[in-house]
Amino acid sequence: MSDSMTEGPMPGGADTRISGLGPGCMVLTLDGEMPIEWLAPGDRLVTRDHGAQPVLHIARLRRLPCGGALPLPLTFLRGERGPQGELTEKLRVAPGHRGLIRRPEVALNFGSDEALARFADISRRNRARPDPSMGGLTYHMIIMERHEVITAGSLWVETTDATMAERLDLPPAVRRATALFEPGTKAARHCLTREEALLIRQKCPPDLSLLDLLAA
């Protein structure tokens, strides 16, 4: 298996807090992998903690809630190389989306085997690379009964959390059906701040790749 990465802008503005899964992302459902564009309410996603759970709603964002342009995605290229040398699988995520880290350094510093960190915060790159195959940019935000950890592009990533959900214009029925808006609702894992993510990066071996840092 081969992997590489192209990245969009790193933190520095409010737009980099946007989460979501980008074009072409494959998510693991009870019936196998499915393109994020095909996912619909009622489909059951395989979660790390609660087995197969239904999707309540999918918000598809083409512009920021305030009307501005979306931040460019971070793109992971994985899989076997095809006849033309291309990699066969891509995972595109918004810079503010979180992936699951499972490292001894996390347990040592935070007392938990696993934590969620924004992809932009744990990346060492700071420039975007052209991705002409992407086409138009849409971020897909999966709303479930609770904040979950799911499989996308062979990595464990988060579903939409309470903070991002508050920024979306969700139907009233969806807001009633999810626990994301209930007082005291908890994230699926400890969510690292940027400073905490940088600390983990500093304590990991310097040659450790971003994909090796994430739990697969």
Side-chain angles (χ1 to χ4, degrees):
M1 176 176 287
S2 176
D3 52 60
S4 61
M5 185 179 68
T6 64
E7 300 177 10
M10 296 296 104
D15 63 349
T16 57
R17 300 296 178 176
I18 289 288
S19 68
L21 301 174
C25 177
M26 301 293 289
V27 293
L28 184 60
T29 75
L30 194 59
D31 298 317
E33 286 194 320
M34 178 185 298
I36 188 71
E37 289 84 356
W38 295 5
L39 199 65
D43 288 331
R44 298 172 70 84
L45 296 181
V46 176
T47 73
R48 192 168 177 89
D49 302 318
H50 303 106
Q53 294 294 319
V55 174
L56 297 180
H57 180 77
I58 303 171
R60 292 188 162 95
L61 204 63
R62 293 179 175 84
R63 296 188 67 81
L64 291 174
C66 63
L70 293 172
L72 292 176
L74 287 73
T75 303
F76 296 84
L77 311 177
R78 301 169 61 87
E80 301 297 329
R81 292 193 178 273
Q84 306 303 318
E86 75 280 8
L87 287 159
T88 57
E89 182 181 350
K90 291 189 177 183
L91 169 64
R92 297 184 180 96
V93 295
H97 206 79
R98 296 185 181 95
L100 188 70
I101 298 175
R102 183 180 176 87
R103 291 282 307 173
E105 293 84 358
V106 173
L108 182 63
N109 287 275
F110 301 106
S112 175
D113 291 339
E114 299 177 343
L116 289 165
R118 292 186 177 91
F119 283 94
D121 292 344
I122 54 177
S123 170
R124 290 195 173 115
R125 296 178 184 244
N126 58 12
R127 290 187 179 274
R129 294 177 182 173
D131 186 5
S133 66
M134 182 177 70
L137 176 58
T138 297
Y139 286 129
H140 307 262
M141 302 178 185
I142 300 172
I143 308 294
M144 303 186 75
E145 182 180 348
R146 59 178 72 84
H147 188 228
E148 297 277 13
V149 178
I150 62 171
T151 297
S154 303
L155 296 174
W156 289 104
V157 302
E158 67 174 343
T159 58
T160 301
D161 69 357
T163 301
M164 189 65 222
E166 285 284 6
R167 302 182 64 180
L168 302 174
D169 185 18
L170 297 177
V174 174
R175 297 182 69 92
R176 291 192 298 268
T178 180
L180 291 175
F181 303 108
E182 294 180 359
T185 186
K186 294 183 178 180
R189 296 290 186 281
H190 173 65
C191 296
L192 301 181
T193 65
R194 176 162 171 76
E195 291 72 23
E196 291 172 341
L198 291 174
L199 173 65
I200 293 299
R201 258 307 197 181
Q202 292 168 1
K203 292 184 176 294
C204 287
D207 58 346
L208 189 74
S209 73
L210 178 53
L211 290 179
D212 290 333
L213 182 65
L214 296 163

